[in-house]
Amino acid sequence: MATGETGFDDVSYDLISVQYHSLKAGHDYGQYVRDAENAGRQDIADFFRRVMEEDSARAKQCHEFLKDMAASGDSGPAVG
């Protein structure tokens, strides 16, 4: 697997990027839930909760892929 300038292979970098953005978005969605609840829009608050759960699952899947890649040595020297 090719290793980029960062010391991470492209796939590891991509997974880390998706994981970061999913976790960051999940943090932000907490505020969106509160905003919707404060506006009396439980339907929208429930929607934001579902989106937050989806991003949490996405971040967890990235974590599992990264663990597997590190264990197999497919991630390059930066993830090991």
Coordinates of all heavy atoms in Angstrom, one line a residue:
M1 N 0.8 -1.2 0.0 CA 0.0 0.0 0.0 C 0.9 1.2 0.0 O 1.8 1.3 0.8 CB -0.9 0.0 1.2 CG -2.3 0.5 1.0 SD -3.3 0.3 2.5 CE -3.9 -1.3 2.3
A2 N 0.6 2.1 -0.9 CA 1.4 3.3 -1.0 C 1.2 4.2 0.3 O 0.1 4.3 0.8 CB 1.0 4.1 -2.2
T3 N 2.3 4.8 0.7 CA 2.3 5.7 1.9 C 2.5 7.1 1.4 O 3.4 7.4 0.7 CB 3.4 5.3 2.9 OG1 3.2 3.9 3.3 CG2 3.4 6.2 4.1
G4 N 1.6 8.0 1.8 CA 1.6 9.4 1.4 C 2.6 10.2 2.2 O 3.4 9.6 3.0
E5 N 2.7 11.4 1.9 CA 3.7 12.3 2.6 C 3.5 12.4 4.1 O 4.4 12.7 4.8 CB 3.6 13.7 2.0 CG 4.0 13.8 0.5 CD 3.7 15.1 -0.1 OE1 3.3 16.1 0.6 OE2 3.9 15.2 -1.3
T6 N 2.3 12.1 4.6 CA 2.0 12.1 6.0 C 2.5 10.9 6.8 O 2.5 10.9 8.0 CB 0.5 12.2 6.3 OG1 -0.1 11.0 5.8 CG2 -0.1 13.5 5.6
G7 N 2.9 9.9 6.1 CA 3.3 8.6 6.7 C 2.2 7.7 6.8 O 2.3 6.5 7.2
F8 N 1.0 8.1 6.4 CA -0.2 7.2 6.3 C -0.5 6.9 4.9 O -0.3 7.7 4.0 CB -1.4 8.0 6.9 CG -1.4 8.2 8.3 CD1 -0.7 9.3 8.9 CD2 -2.0 7.3 9.2 CE1 -0.7 9.6 10.2 CE2 -2.0 7.6 10.6 CZ -1.3 8.7 11.1
D9 N -0.9 5.6 4.7 CA -1.4 5.3 3.4 C -2.7 6.0 3.1 O -3.3 6.5 4.0 CB -1.6 3.7 3.2 CG -2.7 3.2 4.1 OD1 -2.4 3.0 5.3 OD2 -3.8 3.1 3.6
D10 N -3.0 6.1 1.8 CA -4.2 6.8 1.4 C -5.5 6.3 2.1 O -6.3 7.1 2.5 CB -4.4 6.8 -0.1 CG -3.3 7.6 -0.8 OD1 -2.7 8.5 -0.1 OD2 -3.1 7.4 -2.0
V11 N -5.6 5.0 2.2 CA -6.9 4.4 2.8 C -6.9 4.7 4.2 O -8.0 5.1 4.7 CB -6.9 2.9 2.5 CG1 -8.1 2.3 3.2 CG2 -7.0 2.6 1.0
S12 N -5.8 4.6 5.0 CA -5.9 5.0 6.4 C -6.2 6.5 6.6 O -7.0 6.8 7.4 CB -4.5 4.7 7.1 OG -4.2 3.3 7.1
Y13 N -5.6 7.3 5.8 CA -5.9 8.7 5.9 C -7.4 9.0 5.6 O -8.0 9.8 6.3 CB -5.0 9.5 4.8 CG -5.3 11.0 4.9 CD1 -4.5 11.8 5.7 CD2 -6.2 11.5 4.0 CE1 -4.8 13.2 5.7 CE2 -6.5 12.9 4.0 CZ -5.7 13.7 4.9 OH -6.0 15.1 4.9
D14 N -7.9 8.3 4.6 CA -9.3 8.5 4.3 C -10.2 8.1 5.4 O -11.2 8.7 5.7 CB -9.7 7.8 3.0 CG -8.9 8.3 1.8 OD1 -8.3 9.4 1.8 OD2 -8.9 7.6 0.7
L15 N -9.9 6.9 6.0 CA -10.7 6.4 7.1 C -10.6 7.3 8.3 O -11.6 7.6 9.0 CB -10.3 5.0 7.5 CG -10.7 3.9 6.6 CD1 -9.9 2.6 6.9 CD2 -12.2 3.6 6.6
I16 N -9.4 7.8 8.6 CA -9.3 8.8 9.7 C -10.0 10.0 9.5 O -10.7 10.6 10.4 CB -7.8 9.0 10.0 CG1 -7.1 7.8 10.5 CG2 -7.6 10.2 10.9 CD1 -5.6 7.8 10.5
S17 N -10.0 10.5 8.2 CA -10.8 11.7 7.9 C -12.3 11.5 8.1 O -12.9 12.4 8.7 CB -10.4 12.1 6.4 OG -11.1 13.3 6.1
V18 N -12.8 10.4 7.6 CA -14.2 10.1 7.7 C -14.6 10.0 9.2 O -15.6 10.5 9.7 CB -14.7 8.9 6.9 CG1 -16.1 8.5 7.3 CG2 -14.6 9.2 5.5
Q19 N -13.7 9.3 10.0 CA -13.9 9.1 11.4 C -14.0 10.5 12.1 O -14.9 10.8 12.9 CB -12.9 8.2 12.0 CG -13.1 7.9 13.5 CD -12.0 7.0 14.0 OE1 -10.9 7.1 13.7 NE2 -12.4 6.0 14.8
Y20 N -13.0 11.3 11.8 CA -12.9 12.6 12.5 C -14.2 13.4 12.2 O -14.8 14.0 13.1 CB -11.7 13.4 12.0 CG -11.8 14.9 12.4 CD1 -11.5 15.3 13.7 CD2 -12.2 15.8 11.5 CE1 -11.5 16.6 14.1 CE2 -12.3 17.2 11.8 CZ -12.0 17.5 13.1 OH -12.1 18.8 13.5
H21 N -14.6 13.5 10.9 CA -15.7 14.3 10.5 C -17.0 13.8 11.1 O -17.9 14.5 11.4 CB -15.8 14.5 9.0 CG -14.7 15.4 8.5 ND1 -14.6 16.7 8.7 CD2 -13.5 15.1 7.8 CE1 -13.5 17.3 8.2 NE2 -12.8 16.3 7.6
S22 N -17.1 12.5 11.2 CA -18.3 11.8 11.8 C -18.4 12.2 13.3 O -19.5 12.5 13.8 CB -18.3 10.3 11.6 OG -18.4 10.0 10.2
L23 N -17.3 12.1 14.0 CA -17.3 12.4 15.4 C -17.5 13.9 15.6 O -18.3 14.3 16.5 CB -16.0 12.0 16.0 CG -15.7 10.5 16.1 CD1 -14.3 10.2 16.5 CD2 -16.7 9.9 17.1
K24 N -16.9 14.8 14.8 CA -17.1 16.2 14.9 C -18.6 16.6 14.7 O -19.2 17.3 15.4 CB -16.2 16.9 13.9 CG -16.4 18.4 13.8 CD -16.0 19.2 15.1 CE -16.0 20.7 14.9 NZ -17.1 21.3 15.5
A25 N -19.2 16.0 13.6 CA -20.6 16.2 13.3 C -21.5 15.8 14.4 O -22.4 16.5 14.8 CB -20.9 15.6 12.0
G26 N -21.2 14.6 15.0 CA -22.0 14.1 16.1 C -22.0 15.0 17.3 O -23.0 15.2 17.9
H27 N -20.9 15.6 17.5 CA -20.8 16.6 18.6 C -21.7 17.8 18.3 O -22.4 18.3 19.1 CB -19.3 17.1 18.8 CG -19.1 18.1 19.8 ND1 -19.2 19.5 19.5 CD2 -19.0 18.0 21.2 CE1 -19.0 20.1 20.7 NE2 -18.9 19.3 21.7
D28 N -21.6 18.3 17.1 CA -22.4 19.4 16.6 C -23.9 19.1 16.7 O -24.7 20.0 17.0 CB -22.0 19.9 15.2 CG -20.6 20.5 15.2 OD1 -20.1 20.8 16.2 OD2 -20.1 20.5 14.1
Y29 N -24.3 17.9 16.3 CA -25.7 17.5 16.3 C -26.4 17.6 17.6 O -27.6 17.8 17.7 CB -25.9 16.1 15.7 CG -25.5 16.0 14.3 CD1 -24.9 14.8 13.8 CD2 -25.6 17.0 13.4 CE1 -24.5 14.6 12.5 CE2 -25.2 16.8 12.0 CZ -24.7 15.6 11.6 OH -24.3 15.5 10.3
G30 N -25.6 17.4 18.7 CA -26.2 17.6 20.0 C -26.8 19.0 20.2 O -27.9 19.1 20.8
Q31 N -26.1 20.0 19.7 CA -26.7 21.3 19.7 C -27.9 21.5 18.8 O -28.9 22.1 19.2 CB -25.7 22.4 19.3 CG -26.2 23.8 19.4 CD -26.6 24.2 20.8 OE1 -25.8 24.1 21.7 NE2 -27.8 24.7 21.0
Y32 N -27.9 20.8 17.7 CA -29.0 20.8 16.8 C -30.3 20.2 17.5 O -31.4 20.7 17.3 CB -28.8 20.1 15.5 CG -27.6 20.6 14.7 CD1 -27.0 19.9 13.7 CD2 -26.9 21.8 15.0 CE1 -26.0 20.4 12.9 CE2 -25.8 22.3 14.3 CZ -25.4 21.6 13.3 OH -24.3 22.0 12.5
V33 N -30.1 19.1 18.2 CA -31.2 18.5 18.9 C -31.7 19.4 19.9 O -33.0 19.6 20.0 CB -30.7 17.2 19.6 CG1 -31.7 16.6 20.6 CG2 -30.3 16.1 18.6
R34 N -30.9 20.1 20.7 CA -31.4 21.0 21.7 C -32.1 22.2 21.0 O -33.2 22.6 21.5 CB -30.2 21.6 22.5 CG -29.7 20.5 23.5 CD -28.6 21.1 24.4 NE -27.4 21.5 23.8 CZ -26.4 20.7 23.4 NH1 -26.5 19.4 23.7 NH2 -25.3 21.2 22.8
D35 N -31.6 22.7 19.9 CA -32.3 23.8 19.2 C -33.7 23.4 18.8 O -34.6 24.1 18.9 CB -31.5 24.2 18.0 CG -30.2 24.9 18.4 OD1 -30.0 25.3 19.5 OD2 -29.3 25.1 17.4
A36 N -33.8 22.2 18.2 CA -35.1 21.7 17.7 C -36.0 21.5 18.9 O -37.2 21.9 18.8 CB -34.9 20.4 16.9
E37 N -35.5 20.9 20.0 CA -36.4 20.8 21.2 C -36.8 22.1 21.7 O -38.0 22.3 22.1 CB -35.6 19.9 22.2 CG -35.5 18.5 21.9 CD -34.7 17.7 22.9 OE1 -33.8 18.3 23.6 OE2 -34.8 16.5 22.9
N38 N -35.9 23.1 21.8 CA -36.3 24.4 22.3 C -37.3 25.1 21.4 O -38.1 25.9 21.9 CB -35.1 25.3 22.4 CG -34.1 24.8 23.6 OD1 -34.6 24.2 24.5 ND2 -32.9 25.2 23.5
A39 N -37.3 24.7 20.1 CA -38.3 25.3 19.2 C -39.6 24.5 19.2 O -40.5 24.8 18.4 CB -37.7 25.3 17.8
G40 N -39.7 23.4 20.0 CA -40.9 22.6 20.1 C -41.0 21.7 18.9 O -42.1 21.2 18.6
R41 N -39.9 21.4 18.2 CA -40.0 20.5 17.0 C -39.3 19.1 17.4 O -38.2 18.8 17.0 CB -39.2 21.1 15.9 CG -39.9 22.4 15.3 CD -41.4 22.1 14.8 NE -41.4 21.0 13.8 CZ -41.6 21.2 12.5 NH1 -41.6 22.4 12.0 NH2 -41.6 20.1 11.7
Q42 N -40.1 18.3 18.1 CA -39.6 17.0 18.4 C -39.3 16.1 17.2 O -38.4 15.3 17.2 CB -40.6 16.3 19.4 CG -40.1 15.0 20.0 CD -38.8 15.3 20.9 OE1 -38.8 16.3 21.6 NE2 -37.8 14.5 20.8
D43 N -40.1 16.3 16.2 CA -39.9 15.5 14.9 C -38.5 15.8 14.4 O -37.7 14.9 13.9 CB -40.9 15.8 13.9 CG -41.1 17.3 13.5 OD1 -40.7 18.2 14.4 OD2 -41.6 17.6 12.4
I44 N -38.1 17.1 14.4 CA -36.8 17.5 13.9 C -35.7 17.0 14.9 O -34.6 16.5 14.4 CB -36.7 19.0 13.6 CG1 -37.7 19.3 12.5 CG2 -35.3 19.4 13.2 CD1 -37.8 20.8 12.2
A45 N -35.9 17.1 16.2 CA -35.0 16.7 17.2 C -34.7 15.2 17.0 O -33.6 14.7 17.0 CB -35.5 16.9 18.6
D46 N -35.8 14.4 16.7 CA -35.6 13.0 16.5 C -34.8 12.7 15.2 O -34.0 11.8 15.2 CB -37.0 12.3 16.3 CG -37.7 12.3 17.7 OD1 -37.1 12.5 18.7 OD2 -39.0 12.1 17.6
F47 N -35.1 13.5 14.2 CA -34.3 13.4 12.9 C -32.8 13.6 13.2 O -31.9 12.8 12.8 CB -34.8 14.4 11.9 CG -33.8 14.6 10.8 CD1 -33.7 13.6 9.8 CD2 -33.0 15.7 10.7 CE1 -32.8 13.8 8.7 CE2 -32.1 15.9 9.6 CZ -32.0 14.9 8.6
F48 N -32.4 14.7 14.0 CA -31.1 14.9 14.3 C -30.5 13.8 15.1 O -29.3 13.4 15.0 CB -30.9 16.3 15.0 CG -31.1 17.5 14.1 CD1 -31.8 18.5 14.5 CD2 -30.5 17.5 12.9 CE1 -32.0 19.7 13.7 CE2 -30.6 18.6 12.1 CZ -31.4 19.7 12.5
R49 N -31.2 13.2 16.0 CA -30.7 12.1 16.8 C -30.4 10.9 15.9 O -29.4 10.2 16.1 CB -31.8 11.6 17.8 CG -31.8 12.5 19.1 CD -32.6 11.9 20.2 NE -32.8 12.8 21.2 CZ -33.8 13.7 21.3 NH1 -34.8 13.7 20.3 NH2 -33.9 14.5 22.3
R50 N -31.3 10.6 14.9 CA -31.0 9.5 13.9 C -29.7 9.8 13.2 O -28.9 8.9 13.0 CB -32.2 9.3 13.0 CG -33.3 8.6 13.6 CD -34.4 8.2 12.6 NE -34.8 9.2 11.6 CZ -35.8 10.1 11.8 NH1 -36.4 10.1 13.0 NH2 -36.1 11.0 10.9
V51 N -29.6 11.0 12.7 CA -28.3 11.4 12.0 C -27.1 11.2 12.9 O -26.1 10.7 12.4 CB -28.5 12.9 11.4 CG1 -27.2 13.3 10.9 CG2 -29.6 13.0 10.4
M52 N -27.2 11.6 14.1 CA -26.1 11.5 15.1 C -25.8 10.0 15.2 O -24.6 9.6 15.3 CB -26.5 12.1 16.4 CG -25.4 12.2 17.4 SD -25.7 13.2 18.9 CE -27.4 13.5 19.0
E53 N -26.8 9.1 15.4 CA -26.5 7.7 15.5 C -25.8 7.1 14.3 O -24.9 6.3 14.4 CB -27.8 7.0 15.7 CG -28.4 7.2 17.1 CD -29.8 6.7 17.3 OE1 -30.3 6.0 16.3 OE2 -30.4 6.9 18.3
E54 N -26.3 7.6 13.1 CA -25.6 7.1 11.8 C -24.2 7.5 11.8 O -23.3 6.7 11.4 CB -26.4 7.7 10.6 CG -27.8 7.1 10.5 CD -28.6 7.9 9.5 OE1 -28.1 8.9 8.8 OE2 -29.8 7.5 9.3
D55 N -23.9 8.8 12.2 CA -22.5 9.2 12.2 C -21.7 8.5 13.2 O -20.5 8.1 13.0 CB -22.4 10.7 12.4 CG -22.4 11.5 11.1 OD1 -22.0 10.9 10.1 OD2 -22.8 12.7 11.1
S56 N -22.3 8.2 14.4 CA -21.6 7.4 15.4 C -21.2 6.0 14.9 O -20.1 5.5 15.1 CB -22.4 7.3 16.6 OG -21.8 6.5 17.6
A57 N -22.2 5.4 14.2 CA -21.9 4.0 13.6 C -20.8 4.1 12.5 O -20.0 3.2 12.4 CB -23.2 3.5 13.0
R58 N -20.8 5.2 11.7 CA -19.8 5.4 10.7 C -18.4 5.5 11.4 O -17.5 4.9 10.9 CB -20.2 6.7 9.9 CG -19.7 6.7 8.5 CD -20.2 7.9 7.7 NE -21.3 8.6 8.2 CZ -22.6 8.4 7.9 NH1 -22.9 7.3 7.2 NH2 -23.5 9.1 8.4
A59 N -18.3 6.3 12.4 CA -17.0 6.5 13.1 C -16.6 5.2 13.7 O -15.4 4.8 13.6 CB -17.2 7.5 14.2
K60 N -17.5 4.4 14.3 CA -17.1 3.1 14.8 C -16.6 2.1 13.7 O -15.6 1.4 13.9 CB -18.3 2.5 15.6 CG -18.0 1.2 16.2 CD -19.1 0.6 17.0 CE -18.7 -0.7 17.6 NZ -19.7 -1.4 18.4
Q61 N -17.3 2.1 12.6 CA -16.8 1.3 11.5 C -15.4 1.7 11.0 O -14.6 0.8 10.7 CB -17.8 1.3 10.3 CG -17.5 0.4 9.2 CD -17.5 -1.1 9.6 OE1 -18.5 -1.6 9.9 NE2 -16.4 -1.7 9.6
C62 N -15.2 2.9 10.9 CA -13.8 3.4 10.6 C -12.8 2.9 11.6 O -11.7 2.4 11.2 CB -13.8 4.9 10.5 SG -14.6 5.7 9.1
H63 N -13.1 3.0 12.8 CA -12.3 2.5 13.9 C -11.9 1.0 13.7 O -10.8 0.6 13.8 CB -12.9 2.8 15.3 CG -12.1 2.4 16.4 ND1 -11.0 3.1 16.8 CD2 -12.1 1.3 17.3 CE1 -10.4 2.5 17.9 NE2 -11.1 1.5 18.1
E64 N -13.0 0.2 13.4 CA -12.8 -1.2 13.3 C -11.9 -1.5 12.0 O -11.0 -2.3 12.1 CB -14.1 -1.9 13.1 CG -14.9 -1.9 14.4 CD -14.3 -2.5 15.6 OE1 -13.6 -3.6 15.4 OE2 -14.4 -1.9 16.7
F65 N -12.1 -0.8 10.9 CA -11.2 -0.9 9.8 C -9.8 -0.6 10.1 O -8.9 -1.3 9.7 CB -11.7 -0.1 8.6 CG -12.9 -0.6 7.9 CD1 -14.0 0.2 7.5 CD2 -13.0 -1.9 7.5 CE1 -15.1 -0.2 6.8 CE2 -14.1 -2.4 6.8 CZ -15.2 -1.6 6.5
L66 N -9.6 0.5 10.8 CA -8.2 1.0 11.1 C -7.6 -0.1 12.0 O -6.4 -0.3 11.9 CB -8.3 2.3 11.8 CG -8.6 3.5 10.8 CD1 -9.0 4.7 11.6 CD2 -7.4 3.8 9.9
K67 N -8.3 -0.6 13.0 CA -7.7 -1.7 13.9 C -7.3 -2.9 13.0 O -6.2 -3.4 13.2 CB -8.7 -2.1 14.9 CG -8.8 -1.2 16.1 CD -9.6 -1.7 17.3 CE -10.5 -2.9 17.1 NZ -11.3 -3.3 18.2
D68 N -8.2 -3.3 12.1 CA -7.8 -4.4 11.3 C -6.6 -4.2 10.4 O -5.7 -5.0 10.3 CB -9.0 -4.8 10.4 CG -10.2 -5.4 11.1 OD1 -10.1 -5.7 12.3 OD2 -11.3 -5.4 10.5
M69 N -6.5 -3.0 9.9 CA -5.4 -2.6 9.0 C -4.1 -2.6 9.8 O -3.1 -3.0 9.4 CB -5.7 -1.3 8.3 CG -6.7 -1.4 7.2 SD -7.1 0.2 6.5 CE -5.6 0.6 5.7
A70 N -4.2 -2.0 11.0 CA -3.0 -2.0 11.9 C -2.5 -3.4 12.3 O -1.3 -3.7 12.3 CB -3.3 -1.2 13.1
A71 N -3.5 -4.2 12.6 CA -3.1 -5.6 12.9 C -2.5 -6.4 11.8 O -1.6 -7.2 12.0 CB -4.3 -6.4 13.5
S72 N -2.9 -6.1 10.6 CA -2.4 -6.8 9.4 C -1.2 -6.1 8.8 O -0.5 -6.7 7.9 CB -3.5 -6.9 8.3 OG -3.7 -5.6 7.8
G73 N -0.8 -5.0 9.3 CA 0.4 -4.3 8.8 C 0.1 -3.5 7.5 O 1.0 -3.1 6.8
D74 N -1.2 -3.4 7.1 CA -1.5 -2.7 5.9 C -1.6 -1.2 5.9 O -2.0 -0.6 5.0 CB -2.9 -3.2 5.4 CG -2.8 -4.6 4.8 OD1 -1.7 -5.1 4.5 OD2 -3.9 -5.3 4.8
S75 N -1.3 -0.6 7.1 CA -1.6 0.8 7.3 C -0.3 1.7 7.1 O -0.5 2.9 7.3 CB -2.2 1.0 8.6 OG -1.3 0.5 9.7
G76 N 0.8 1.1 6.9 CA 2.0 1.9 6.9 C 2.6 2.2 8.3 O 2.0 1.8 9.3
P77 N 3.7 2.9 8.3 CA 4.4 3.1 9.6 C 3.7 4.0 10.6 O 4.0 3.9 11.8 CB 5.7 3.7 9.2 CG 5.5 4.3 7.9 CD 4.4 3.5 7.2
A78 N 2.8 4.8 10.2 CA 2.2 5.8 11.1 C 1.1 5.2 11.9 O 0.7 5.8 12.9 CB 1.7 7.0 10.3
V79 N 0.5 4.1 11.5 CA -0.6 3.5 12.3 C -0.1 2.1 12.6 O -0.2 1.2 11.9 CB -1.9 3.4 11.4 CG1 -3.0 2.7 12.2 CG2 -2.3 4.7 10.9
G80 N 0.4 2.0 13.8 CA 0.9 0.6 14.1 C 1.0 0.3 15.5 O 0.5 0.8 16.5

